[in-house]
């Protein structure tokens, strides 16, 4: 079995989502990735909806340093402490959980725990999760800093990569969306335009 | 394989049910007339697709159509935002318990519940409803778009008068030939065919192809061909079994009434016929034609000069028919009856005499006299209470039926009488017509089973469907039949209306199917005897 990739540690959690800090600067999972946290008794699944890189100390904003440097890398090379002063974080929307062998695509009874490790899901897990499209409804109804159609499209694009027949997967997802968004043609069109191959 | 088409989403018993098509089923593969099965919660329903339509969940979709040139978007939207709807009229239902299965399909009194699955019918479904080939049931074709044999109970069919309709070139003649073969094989009835265009006896024409075999070539020992035009029959290489001639003295006023339109007679002239017949008796035609003017009329006859002239012109047309003689040396009725009594089907060819005057005159005269014989024999059998004395059921086939059965004459002709009496004297009709609206509506309503190919005139469609339950739905099916070799059958002999493609007729293989090889060879042997 491939080594499971650990992508961060939870520093803030609620019923509907969690925020995790990355161990390395800029090493956050891509937008729309499916991540998980928790132990084998109960695993929570989240979709990465946002990522930020900010100063470690609140109130101390970074300053521009590259005036005399040739490249961006050179800045980091000449100020190695920078990696310690900045941090990358990402937010994930909770879209389901697994208890024992059963996977549910609705909110879990308990939120994630602080310092819980966050892992990138494997292709097999992506496939398993993609057997149901109930999670799309959670995304469309969430109040997020990114537009819902962007996140839906990003998550479906990523999930489709785990499927041998990407197109069939996307068509099935599209049909689910067409039903969910039967009263909102514009949003439907926006998503379909973003997921077509 | 049971292919699911969709689910029932709404409906009523009167109007039928709406079926939302699954996205996997293309609306373009659906055709009205198709036989379908609906799996209800407790019962199985059988019906026909009578309409197809398109729906959208969001009306905006029709205002700003999505980019369906993109196959991905088109595929996603099909069956979700855009979907097909079928209208299905259920006719029959069968329960799931053992008793219901024994009882067989029954007419519907309710409809399937919400979201019942609608499927293409299977072979078992068709056989459950229409039965399988047996000693009474004859394979007449396939339900539309299905590879299953559709069978018709011919014993049941011949109990009533029936009609075959359809505009010209749609396959009436081919279908009639198929039915005649069916009756010959699967019923007790014997047929008398008035064959205006020489298509049923020996060989028939086929559009864009060589002639097809007709009845006698396939069933030599069961079919006799009579002719009105011996020379022409010989010329076409037909071996005939009898020649029909008509004597003036056999023509009665009723025959003239029927010819009023074709002979262009005035009402007064038709009335005069009755006076003349009463006066002159059997010789009335010759005597009337011999008159030089109204002044030569015998005492007591009050006929105007103009009326007499009009009548004489009409009678002269009859006299010019080559098969008419002052007195016929042959008794055609007797010869035909002898064949019918032995169970031999009789086809009377008209040879070159295809004009409608000849056809009406001959068909009417012969039928009337044959019918009289049947009537007296049945009455005798009834009086003696002996079923065995009754003559075999007779089916008389006539084309251009509206000429015999239009409202003006239906009340007076023998054909109107046969149609109305159902099977009182063991005689029924098989009428073939391309203009059914010309047929008297009462006669139409008496027909047991109707088979209709494509009709495009609204009045014709209405007259064929008058009084039929669910006629609005059937109308859309009928109007959409293919231009050839597709038909809709409904009425007495079928448990529910069904659209079908008649069996292919005309290939060597088809002949083998109709007349199995062994028989056909025997028949050919007999021809050489
Ligand atoms: N059952 C059939 N099998 C084969 N060909 C058929 C059949 N029905 C119709 N056709 C074709 O259609 C043509 C017209 O059919 P026909 O019975 O003569 O029409 P109608 O009597 O209605 O004018 C035929 O010549 C034949 O080519
Ligand atoms: Mg014809």
């Amino acid at each position: 079995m491939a080594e499971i990739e650990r992508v961060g540690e939870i520093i803030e959690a609620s019923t509907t989502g969690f925020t995790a800090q990355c161990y390395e600067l800029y090493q956050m999972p891509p937008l729309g990735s499916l991540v998980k946290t928790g132990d084998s008794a109960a695993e929570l699944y989240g979709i990465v909806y946002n990522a930020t890189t900010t100063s470690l100390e609140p109130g101390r904003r970074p300053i521009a340093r590259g005036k005399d440097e040739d490249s961006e890398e050179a800045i980091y090379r000449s100020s190695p402490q920078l990696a310690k002063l900045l941090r990358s974080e990402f937010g994930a929307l909770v879209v389901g959980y697994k208890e024992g062998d059963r996977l549910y695509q609705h909110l879990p009874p308990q939120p994630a725990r602080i310092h819980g490790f966050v892992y990138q899901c494997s292709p097999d897990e992506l496939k398993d999760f993609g057997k149901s499209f109930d999670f799309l409804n959670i995304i469309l109804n969430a109040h997020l800093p990114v537009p819902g159609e962007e996140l839906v499209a990003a998550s479906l694009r990523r999930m489709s990569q785990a499927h041998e027949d990407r197109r069939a997967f996307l068509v099935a997802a599209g049909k689910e969306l067409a039903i969910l968004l039967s009263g909102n043609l514009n949003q439907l069109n926006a998503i379909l335009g973003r997921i077509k191959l | 394989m049971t292919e699911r088409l969709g689910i029932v989403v709404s409906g009523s018993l009167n109007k039928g049910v709406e079926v939302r098509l699954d996205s996997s089923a293309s609306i373009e593969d659906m055709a009205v007339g198709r036989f379908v099965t609906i799996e209800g919660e407790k019962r199985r329903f059988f019906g026909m697709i009578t309409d197809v339509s398109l729906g959208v969940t969001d009306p905006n979709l029709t205002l700003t159509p999505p980019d369906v040139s993109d196959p991905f978007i088109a595929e996603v939207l099909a069956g979700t935002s855009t979907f097909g709807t079928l209208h299905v009229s259920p006719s029959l239902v069968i329960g799931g318990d053992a008793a219901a299965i024994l009882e067989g399909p029954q007419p519907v009194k309710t409809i399937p519940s919400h979201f019942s699955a609608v499927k293409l019918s299977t072979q078992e479904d068709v056989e459950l409803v229409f039965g399988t080939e047996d000693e009474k049931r004859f394979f007449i074709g396939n339900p539309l778009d299905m590879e299953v044999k559709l069978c018709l109970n011919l014993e049941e069919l011949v109990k009533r008068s029936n009609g075959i309709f359809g505009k010209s070139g749609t396959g009436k003649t081919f279908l009639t030939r198929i039915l005649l073969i069916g009756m010959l094989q699967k019923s007790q009835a014997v047929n008398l065919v008035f064959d205006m265009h020489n298509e049923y006896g020996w060989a028939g024409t086929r559009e864009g192809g060589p002639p097809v075999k007709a009845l006698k070539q396939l069933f030599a020992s069961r079919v006799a061909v009579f002719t009105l035009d011996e020379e022409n029959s010989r010329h076409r290489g037909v071996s005939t079994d009898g020649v029909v001639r008509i004597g003036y003295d056999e023509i009665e006023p009723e025959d003239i009434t029927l010819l009023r339109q074709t002979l262009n007679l005035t009402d007064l002239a038709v009335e005069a016929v009755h006076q003349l017949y009463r006066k002159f008796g059997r010789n009335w035609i010759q005597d009337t034609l011999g008159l030089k003017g109204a002044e030569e009329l015998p005492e007591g006859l009050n006929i105007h000069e103009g009326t007499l002239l009009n009548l004489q012109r009409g009678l002269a047309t009859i006299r010019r028919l080559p098969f008419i003689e002052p007195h016929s040396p042959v008794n055609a009725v007797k010869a035909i009856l002898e064949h019918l009594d032995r169970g031999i089907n009789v086809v009377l060819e008209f040879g070159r005499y295809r004009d409608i005057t000849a056809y009406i005159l001959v068909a009417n005269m012969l039928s009337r006299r044959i019918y009289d014989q049947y009537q007296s024999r049945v009455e005798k059998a009834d009086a003696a209470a002996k079923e065995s004395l009754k003559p075999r059921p007779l089916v008389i086939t006539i084309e251009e039926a509206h000429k015999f059965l239009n409202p003006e004459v239906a009340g007076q002709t023998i054909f109107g009488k046969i149609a109305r009496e159902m099977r009182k004297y063991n005689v029924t009709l098989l009428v073939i017509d391309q203009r059914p609206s010309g047929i008297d509506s009462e006669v139409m309503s008496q027909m047991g089973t109707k088979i209709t190919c494509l009709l495009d005139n609204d009045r014709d469609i209405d007259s064929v469907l008058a009084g039929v339950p669910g006629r609005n739905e059937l109308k859309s099916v009928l109007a959409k039949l293919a231009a050839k070799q597709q038909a809709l059958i409904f009425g007495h002999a079928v448990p529910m209306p069904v659209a079908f493609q008649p069996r292919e007729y005309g290939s060597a293989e088809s002949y083998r199917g109709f007349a199995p090889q062994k028989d056909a060879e025997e028949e050919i042997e007999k021809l050489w005897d």
Side-chain angles (χ1 to χ4, degrees):
Chain A
M1 216 179 105
E3 180 116 358
I4 316 168
E5 197 187 343
R6 201 199 311 170
V7 287
E9 185 179 318
I10 293 179
I11 54 170
E12 197 182 327
S14 73
T15 302
T16 55
F18 54 80
T19 306
Q21 185 181 337
C22 303
Y23 291 120
E24 302 293 334
L25 196 60
Y26 301 129
Q27 292 303 303
M28 54 273 222
L31 183 72
S33 309
L34 187 68
V35 294
K36 64 173 184 178
T37 179
D39 51 35
S40 55
E43 273 178 333
L44 263 60
Y45 289 93
I47 298 252
V48 175
Y49 67 84
N50 193 24
T52 54
T53 298
T54 53
S55 165
L56 249 178
E57 284 173 60
R60 268 189 71 175
R61 296 180 64 183
I63 49 167
R65 292 167 185 266
K67 191 159 182 271
D68 299 321
E69 304 283 0
D70 288 344
S71 69
E72 199 181 313
E73 289 95 77
I75 302 176
Y76 284 91
R77 259 199 316 271
S78 49
S79 316
Q81 78 284 8
L82 272 181
K84 303 274 178 268
L85 294 176
L86 295 173
R87 64 174 175 186
S88 293
E89 291 169 17
F90 61 90
L93 177 72
V94 174
V95 289
Y97 64 100
K98 194 172 185 176
E99 232 173 41
D101 273 345
R102 287 205 57 183
L103 197 103
Y104 302 90
Q105 295 194 353
H106 53 241
L107 291 182
Q110 301 291 338
R113 288 199 304 255
I114 301 296
H115 298 303
F117 292 162
V118 181
Y119 302 93
Q120 185 86 267
C121 286
S122 70
D124 280 345
E125 285 169 312
L126 285 178
K127 241 182 183 167
D128 211 33
F129 195 83
K131 282 180 186 149
S132 164
F133 291 115
D134 290 349
F135 71 96
L136 294 175
N137 199 30
I138 303 180
I139 304 181
L140 288 170
N141 285 318
H143 299 282
L144 300 171
V146 289
E149 53 264 29
E150 289 289 354
L151 188 58
V152 166
S155 67
L156 288 174
R157 275 196 311 262
R158 296 204 66 79
M159 233 175 249
S160 72
Q161 283 162 3
H163 290 76
E164 287 86 47
D165 190 346
R166 281 187 75 185
R167 187 168 193 281
F169 172 80
L170 290 173
V171 166
K175 284 185 182 294
E176 184 73 22
L177 286 167
I179 294 165
L180 285 175
L181 296 175
S182 63
N184 193 344
L185 196 61
N186 291 338
Q187 201 178 9
L188 176 64
N189 279 334
I191 298 177
L192 295 183
R194 284 164 171 77
I195 63 173
K196 68 182 184 194
L197 288 176
Chain B
M1 190 184 67
T2 47
E3 248 184 279
R4 199 179 104 145
L5 298 179
I7 52 171
V8 172
V9 289
S10 68
S12 74
L13 181 59
N14 279 335
K15 299 210 179 84
V17 297
E18 292 296 327
V19 176
R20 171 117 171 217
L21 210 58
D22 286 347
S23 59
S24 55
S26 165
I27 190 93
E28 295 176 13
D29 291 338
M30 300 301 120
V32 289
R34 195 161 186 169
F35 186 56
V36 294
T37 302
I38 306 177
E39 297 286 357
E41 217 170 285
K42 298 182 187 142
R43 299 182 169 80
R44 193 139 47 113
F45 296 76
F46 303 105
M48 186 160 51
I49 299 178
T50 52
D51 200 4
V52 290
S53 49
L54 293 173
V56 290
T57 46
D58 184 344
N60 282 327
L61 213 52
T62 53
L63 300 176
T64 46
D67 178 17
V68 288
S69 63
D70 185 322
F72 175 74
I73 293 187
E75 196 176 338
V76 167
L77 297 185
T80 52
S81 304
T82 62
F83 52 88
T85 310
L86 305 179
H87 188 89
V88 175
S89 303
S91 309
L92 294 177
V93 61
I94 187 163
D97 53 289
I101 289 171
L102 271 183
E103 217 179 347
Q106 303 294 317
V108 286
K109 293 204 183 67
T110 183
I111 50 174
S113 51
H114 260 113
F115 312 131
S116 298
V118 180
K119 300 172 175 170
L120 287 180
S121 298
T122 61
Q123 176 164 354
E124 291 82 68
D125 293 334
V126 174
E127 289 176 353
L128 187 64
V129 172
F130 296 97
T132 47
E133 258 180 308
D134 57 19
E135 71 279 2
K136 289 179 190 159
R137 290 191 178 81
F138 184 68
F139 158 39
I140 56 167
N142 312 85
L144 281 200
D145 300 322
M146 291 181 75
E147 296 294 321
V148 182
K149 287 182 178 180
L150 177 71
C151 293
L152 178 63
N153 186 330
L154 288 174
E155 203 53 67
E156 214 42 60
L157 181 82
V158 297
K159 286 184 180 162
R160 307 267 298 261
S161 287
N162 303 301
I164 294 181
F165 308 105
K167 56 181 211 162
S168 176
T170 50
K172 297 182 295 299
T173 300
F174 274 59
L175 188 54
T176 305
R177 242 187 250 119
I178 294 171
L179 283 187
L180 288 170
I181 291 175
M183 287 188 245
L184 182 151
Q185 291 183 332
K186 309 273 178 166
S187 78
Q188 296 304 312
V190 66
N191 289 280
L192 170 59
V193 182
F194 290 103
D195 185 6
M196 188 172 189
H197 305 291
N198 316 314
E199 293 174 306
Y200 299 103
W202 184 253
T205 52
R206 154 164 52 191
E207 277 174 22
V212 295
K213 294 185 185 188
L215 298 181
K216 189 159 176 173
Q217 283 195 65
L218 297 174
F219 304 97
S221 62
R222 302 282 313 276
V223 179
V225 177
F226 279 61
T227 183
L228 272 177
D229 187 351
E230 203 181 1
E231 195 189 322
N232 176 266
S233 294
R234 203 178 321 116
H235 191 68
R236 285 183 289 115
V238 181
S239 69
T240 52
D241 303 80
V243 177
V244 171
R245 311 219 149 272
I246 305 281
Y248 300 152
D249 51 356
E250 298 173 61
I251 300 174
E252 295 179 17
E254 188 209 294
D255 302 316
I256 306 297
T257 315
L258 207 53
L259 290 171
R260 197 190 71 78
Q261 273 180 331
T262 42
L263 292 182
N264 244 325
L265 298 179
T266 63
D267 287 344
L268 286 174
V270 173
E271 225 168 83
V273 167
H274 292 272
Q275 293 186 45
L276 292 160
Y277 186 72
R278 267 196 303 278
K279 196 80 190 174
F280 294 136
R282 294 175 65 87
N283 268 335
W284 73 279
I285 293 193
Q286 275 192 299
D287 290 351
T288 305
L289 283 169
L291 298 170
K292 297 237 153 39
E295 66 282 358
E296 286 191 13
L297 279 168
E299 197 69 13
L301 287 187
N302 182 17
I303 298 167
H304 278 285
E305 185 75 45
T307 303
L308 184 64
L309 263 176
N310 174 256
L311 179 60
Q312 284 181 324
R313 215 170 335 178
L315 294 179
T317 306
I318 294 179
R319 187 170 57 179
R320 277 196 299 277
L321 293 173
F323 52 85
I324 299 265
E325 298 172 1
H327 180 77
S328 165
V330 293
N331 187 337
V333 172
K334 187 157 165 272
I336 290 173
L337 270 172
E338 272 168 14
H339 281 85
L340 297 178
D341 285 341
R342 292 195 325 226
I344 295 177
N345 299 276
V346 175
V347 177
L348 174 59
E349 298 193 332
F350 280 65
R352 282 163 296 174
Y353 314 135
R354 294 173 176 204
D355 85 49
I356 194 72
T357 311
Y359 191 68
I360 295 177
L361 181 71
V362 172
N364 193 50
M365 285 184 51
L366 294 181
S367 300
R368 192 180 62 234
R369 291 162 59 199
I370 288 168
Y371 180 83
D372 287 346
Q373 293 284 324
Y374 263 69
Q375 178 170 4
S376 72
R377 287 200 221 165
V378 168
E379 279 167 355
K380 251 184 233 147
D382 281 343
K386 266 201 187 145
E387 202 58 30
S388 59
L389 284 182
K390 284 194 178 166
R392 297 172 190 268
L394 170 65
V395 178
I396 299 179
T397 298
I398 48 167
E399 302 197 58
E400 302 284 339
H402 64 273
K403 302 274 188 194
F404 301 90
L405 294 167
N406 60 58
E408 216 177 300
V409 300
Q412 301 149 47
T413 67
I414 183 62
F415 296 108
K417 193 164 163 191
I418 297 174
R420 281 191 309 273
E421 276 175 347
M422 303 178 73
R423 202 174 53 154
K424 197 161 160 201
Y425 298 116
N426 267 8
V427 183
T428 56
L429 297 179
L430 177 61
V431 305
I432 306 170
D433 206 315
Q434 51 179 312
R435 210 166 65 75
S437 60
I439 297 178
D440 182 57
S441 60
E442 200 203 323
V443 169
M444 283 299 273
S445 72
Q446 293 296 338
M447 278 174 200
T449 305
K450 293 175 190 142
I451 308 181
T452 174
C453 302
L454 178 69
L455 284 169
D456 52 10
N457 176 302
D458 263 349
R459 289 183 42 222
D460 288 331
I461 295 178
D462 287 341
S463 84
V464 166
L465 294 175
V468 178
R471 69 173 163 283
N472 286 335
E473 284 77 19
L474 292 181
K475 191 170 172 169
S476 59
V477 175
L478 172 50
K480 300 289 181 304
L481 291 173
K484 264 189 190 21
Q485 213 183 337
Q486 277 193 2
L488 176 69
I489 179 170
F490 53 93
H492 182 73
V494 281
M496 62 179 272
V498 61
F500 70 104
Q501 174 167 40
R503 278 169 84 163
E504 188 267 333
Y505 186 103
S507 64
E509 194 191 340
S510 72
Y511 299 139
R512 275 196 293 280
F514 286 112
Q517 194 71 50
K518 184 167 69 73
D519 297 3
E521 271 164 14
E522 274 173 22
E523 308 275 16
I524 290 166
E525 284 307 315
K526 281 191 198 122
L527 282 179
W528 294 105
D529 289 347

